[in-house]
Amino acid sequence: MRNKILQWVPLAVLLIAWEAYAKFQSGFSTMFSSPVRIITLLYEKTVSGDLPYHTFITAYESFVGLLFGLFIGCIIGFILVYFPKCSKIAHPYIIALSSIPTFALAPLMIIWFGTGLKMKIVLAFLSTVFITAFQTYEGASKISESDDTFFKINHATNKQRFWMLSFPASLDWVIQSLKLNAGFCVLGAFIGEFIASEAGLGYIILKASGLYDTTYVFAAIICIILLSMFFNLLAVFVNKYKLRIIRFATMKYGK
């Protein structure tokens, strides 16, 4: 409890100092707004339904992109594990593709997928798929030789080896990738909205910054932070029940 209270102390000091300085310096208040004004606007826009609507749009784009990124990334990772020669060929390409900034791909995504939801989902997907593939491959390839030998001695089938050895070994790494991708999927969707959109938190920030409405910009940023934290909580939830997931997959598919 003491540590939890201490965690909030720096934030409380920052907010109090921010509010006090903004109250006595009008120029600072214009440039950086103030915590009271931001909280007030958050309440007003939430009650009016404006912020919940735009937050839902960004959340939908991020979540769908995250799901596709996890699914395709896991498939790629497991393919690389079972085909070592392919992994040696594909590994540098995956590293190269994952190093491309998502922002650099945004103009191409507009040409290929338009300016609708599909483009933002694809950017969220591209922000997560390579991290998931790399983490899945690393997890499944870190199996100890003794465990691998045990399954070979007992003449385990490829299906049994996958569900009872490779899958449990890679699940921890996949969950770690989910924690990383919690922020990256939102970032990908946000970049798409910032480039071209008519709704979403990126659209709000772009429009508000054009009107020099720093209060609304900070309110939208808070929503982005809360959205990333929500996806991170999903990763924590999956991690909490990972043993049940392994047991279910082993009993149903590992026979």
Side-chain angles (χ1 to χ4, degrees), residues 40-55:
T40 302
L41 184 65
L42 271 171
Y43 173 77
E44 292 174 353
K45 294 295 184 180
T46 301
V47 172
S48 67
D50 191 26
L51 266 180
Y53 169 73
H54 289 286
T55 302

Side-chain angles (χ1 to χ4, degrees), residues 135-186:
Q135 291 287 96
T136 304
Y137 171 76
E138 286 295 313
S141 62
K142 295 295 182 182
I143 298 171
S144 64
E145 293 184 6
S146 59
D147 291 337
D148 193 31
T149 303
F150 174 80
F151 275 78
K152 289 180 180 179
I153 291 175
N154 288 277
H155 304 288
T157 63
N158 289 334
K159 180 180 178 181
Q160 291 173 329
R161 186 180 181 278
F162 172 78
W163 288 111
M164 302 180 71
L165 185 61
S166 299
F167 178 75
S170 64
L171 189 59
D172 278 332
W173 290 72
V174 172
I175 292 172
Q176 291 300 320
S177 74
L178 181 57
K179 292 179 180 179
L180 291 172
N181 289 329
F184 285 119
C185 67
V186 177

Side-chain angles (χ1 to χ4, degrees), residues 26-67:
S26 58
F28 180 86
S29 177
T30 302
M31 294 292 293
F32 298 97
S33 188
S34 70
V36 172
R37 289 168 60 183
I38 294 170
I39 293 172
T40 302
L41 184 65
L42 271 171
Y43 173 77
E44 292 174 353
K45 294 295 184 180
T46 301
V47 172
S48 67
D50 191 26
L51 266 180
Y53 169 73
H54 289 286
T55 302
F56 174 78
I57 295 295
T58 304
Y60 175 78
E61 297 163 351
S62 304
F63 185 69
V64 175
L66 177 62
L67 286 181

Side-chain angles (χ1 to χ4, degrees), residues 51 66 75 93-95 153 187 217 221 239 251:
L51 266 180
L66 177 62
I75 291 177
Y93 291 100
I94 292 176
I95 297 297
I153 291 175
L187 177 62
V217 171
I221 290 173
N239 185 55
M251 292 177 64

